[in-house]
Amino acid sequence: MADELKRGLEGVLVAESDLSYVDGEVGKLVYRGYDIEDLARGASYEEVLYLLWHGSLPTAAELDAFAADLAAEREVDDDVIETVRALADAGERPMAALRTATSMLSAYDPDDDESGDDGEATLRQGRRITAKIPTILAAFERVRQGEEPVAPDPDLSHAGNFLYMLTGTEPDAVSEETFDMALTLHADHGLNASTFTAMVIGSTMADVYSGVTGGIGALSGPLHGGANQDVMEVLHEIDASSKDPVQWVKDTRDGGGRIPGFGHRVYKVKDPRAVILEEKLRDLAESSGDTKWLDYTTAIEEYLTDQGLVEKGIAPNVDFYSGSVYDTLGIPVDMYTPIFAMSRAGGWIAHVAEYQEDNRLIRPRARYTGPEDAEFVPIDER
Ligand SMILES: CC(C)(COP(=O)(O)OP(=O)(O)OC[C@H]1O[C@@H](n2cnc3c(N)ncnc32)[C@H](O)[C@@H]1OP(=O)(O)O)[C@@H](O)C(=O)NCCC(=O)NCCS
C-alpha cells in the first residue's frame, strides 16, 4: 500500500545489505554471516573492520597489512589538534567536538574524491577517518583535563592505542581485550538511525566525511547513542545518594520515566551484545574485587524481569552494561557515546561504500497535513 504511513520508518525495507543482520525476536546479531559472539570473542576490531569493508575475514598476512595501514593513519594534522584544544577550552560537549573535528579532517585528506563515486577512495578516506577518530577523542579528553595529547603508537592495536593515548599508559591485556570486544560489539547494527543518516547522505553521492559527520550527529541523541551515558549517570546518582537501585527504578517508573538501557526498537529480548558485556563486567568485577556496578545492574535487571517488563519486550540493551564496563576501564562518562561513534564509524563507512556501489537517492515523502488554499496576505496587511 503506497500510502500507508510508517512513522519512524519502523520495519520499512529501504535497501539490501550484506553487512549485518539483526533478529530482534531471538536476540541474534551477525556481521556478514558471522555471529557477533564468535567475532567478539575470536576476532580483533581490525579484523571486523576488514570483514565489513572487504567482504571476508582476512588471512593473517592480509590482517597484518591492513592493521599496519590503519595504524599508519592515526596522526592528525596540528591544525586539527589546535581546533580540538579550542573546542575543549570553549567547554564543547565531546560528541559535538568529535563532529566538528571529524568534519575538519577532510581538509587534510590527500584523496581529492569529493563525490563518493570512487569506492576505493571512499574506503581509503574511511580508513583515515577510522584511524584518526581515536586520536581526536583522546586529545580532547586530555586537553580538557589540562594535559598534553599523547601521540599515537603505531605498534599498539586500535583498542590498545586508544587507551594508551587516553591515559598515557599502555593498558593491561584484560583492559585492551575488553575494550577491543566493546568496539567489535558496536561496529555495525543494521539500519539504525545513525547508519541510515550516513546512508541518506551517501545516497546524494556526497563524500564519506559528510556521511560520518552526519552519523555522529545522529548518534549523539539520547534515544540512540546517548543512552549508555544515561545509564552510568543513573548508577552514579544511585551510588551518591546511597539509594537502593530497585527503589530508584520504582520511583522513576512511578514518575512515568523510562529506565535507560532498557528497550530497543528492534530487540524484543535481551540484546546479545548486552549478554556478552554483562559477562565481561562480571570478569572485570571478579578480577578487581569491586562488584558495585555489577550488583546494581543485576538488581535492576532482576527487578524489571520480575515486573514483567522484559517479557513485554523491554529488555536490557547494549547500553545497559557498556557504561559499567567503561567506568571500570577508567573512561569518563561523557566519552561513552564518542567511543560508540569511534566503533560505529566502521559500520557507517561500510554502509556508505556498499550503498554507493548501487546507488539510489533516498527521498521518501511525508503525508501533507497542513492547510490548503491559504490566502496570502502581504506583510504590511497582516
Ligand atoms: C530505545 C527506545 C527509544 C525504543 O523505543 P520504541 O521502540 O520507540 O518503543 P516505545 O517508545 O514505543 O515504547 C513502547 C512501550 O514501552 C515502554 N518503554 C520503552 N522503553 C522503556 C524503558 N526504557 N523503560 C520503561 N518503559 C519503556 C514505553 O513507555 C511504551 O509503553 P506504553 O506502550 O505503555 O506507552 C525506548 O525503549 C527507550 O526510550 N529506551 C531508553 C533509552 C535507551 O536505552 N536507548 C538506547 C537504545 S540502544
Side-chain angles (χ1 to χ4, degrees):
M1 263 216 301
D3 278 340
E4 190 187 351
L5 176 65
K6 291 272 196 176
R7 289 185 73 232
L9 291 181
E10 197 165 340
V12 176
L13 282 176
V14 296
E16 291 186 326
S17 172
D18 291 347
L19 291 166
S20 61
Y21 170 69
V22 186
D23 185 337
E25 300 300 323
V26 299
K28 190 175 172 67
L29 168 62
V30 299
Y31 296 167
R32 291 197 185 271
Y34 297 99
D35 195 279
I36 192 62
E37 198 171 333
D38 293 333
L39 292 173
R41 293 188 205 286
S44 65
Y45 179 68
E46 285 89 330
E47 258 174 283
V48 168
L49 283 180
Y50 188 101
L51 173 68
L52 291 173
W53 295 353
H54 298 294
S56 59
L57 285 171
T59 61
E62 284 167 340
L63 179 62
D64 282 352
F66 178 79
D69 286 349
L70 188 69
E73 300 282 6
R74 285 178 183 156
E75 293 208 5
V76 300
D77 195 275
D78 288 347
D79 290 352
V80 177
I81 294 291
E82 286 317 306
T83 299
V84 165
R85 275 186 210 281
L87 291 166
D89 287 350
E92 183 60 292
R93 292 156 295 140
M95 277 300 272
L98 178 63
R99 168 174 41 69
T100 302
T102 302
S103 180
M104 188 178 176
L105 289 176
S106 67
Y108 306 93
D109 193 295
D111 269 300
D112 56 4
D113 180 66
E114 289 163 16
S115 63
D117 36 285
D118 177 350
E120 293 289 317
T122 296
L123 287 184
R124 277 196 303 274
Q125 293 177 329
R127 188 175 70 210
R128 294 183 192 115
I129 297 171
T130 307
K132 291 176 193 334
I133 284 179
T135 312
I136 291 171
L137 288 178
F140 179 81
E141 172 57 20
R142 288 189 68 86
V143 168
R144 71 178 177 156
Q145 299 301 335
E147 314 231 39
E148 275 306 295
V150 171
D153 180 346
D155 294 331
L156 295 177
S157 69
H158 196 72
N161 174 61
F162 174 70
L163 294 176
Y164 164 67
M165 291 189 297
L166 195 69
T167 61
T169 315
E170 274 191 38
D172 60 48
V174 179
S175 303
E176 182 177 355
E177 184 196 292
T178 304
F179 190 63
D180 178 84
M181 208 178 235
L183 292 180
T184 289
L185 293 176
H186 288 86
D188 200 33
H189 206 241
L191 286 199
N192 55 87
S194 58
T195 302
F196 186 57
T197 302
M199 244 175 74
V200 171
I201 293 172
S203 86
T204 70
M205 296 310 277
D207 70 353
V208 70
Y209 282 96
S210 306
V212 172
T213 304
I216 294 169
L219 187 68
S220 67
L223 295 188
H224 190 4
N228 54 7
Q229 192 168 318
D230 295 345
V231 174
M232 205 58 223
E233 276 163 6
V234 163
L235 296 181
H236 277 301
E237 184 189 315
I238 291 170
D239 192 39
S241 61
S242 309
K243 210 172 190 176
D244 171 23
V246 169
Q247 192 56 48
W248 182 89
V249 172
K250 283 181 188 161
D251 293 348
T252 303
R253 295 198 71 206
D254 287 350
R258 292 186 174 202
I259 310 304
F262 271 75
H264 196 278
R265 181 56 68 78
V266 182
Y267 290 117
K268 299 305 163 208
V269 295
K270 189 166 176 175
D271 184 330
R273 299 165 302 173
V275 174
I276 299 170
L277 284 178
E278 180 186 2
E279 202 181 291
K280 224 52 211 163
L281 178 62
R282 210 167 280 281
D283 288 350
L284 288 171
E286 268 168 26
S287 65
S288 69
D290 183 355
T291 61
K292 186 168 59 191
W293 300 145
L294 181 67
D295 295 343
Y296 288 8
T297 45
T298 311
I300 292 172
E301 184 177 342
E302 274 174 12
Y303 172 73
L304 289 174
T305 305
D306 287 348
Q307 292 292 301
L309 208 71
V310 175
E311 206 181 333
K312 273 198 338 207
I314 304 163
N317 61 50
V318 66
D319 298 319
F320 190 60
Y321 287 103
S322 59
S324 308
V325 167
Y326 296 151
D327 189 82
T328 312
L329 294 178
I331 299 170
V333 173
D334 64 357
M335 293 300 279
Y336 298 176
T337 313
I339 285 169
F340 189 164
M342 172 178 152
S343 162
R344 185 58 58 84
W348 296 330
I349 291 156
H351 278 274
V352 168
E354 181 188 56
Y355 193 80
Q356 287 180 332
E357 246 175 55
D358 183 22
N359 192 65
R360 179 146 180 93
L361 178 69
I362 297 172
R363 205 305 189 186
R365 64 198 179 93
R367 178 182 294 155
Y368 178 67
T369 55
E372 285 174 34
D373 303 326
E375 195 182 326
F376 180 76
V377 180
I379 194 159
D380 51 0
E381 292 172 28
R382 273 174 234 158

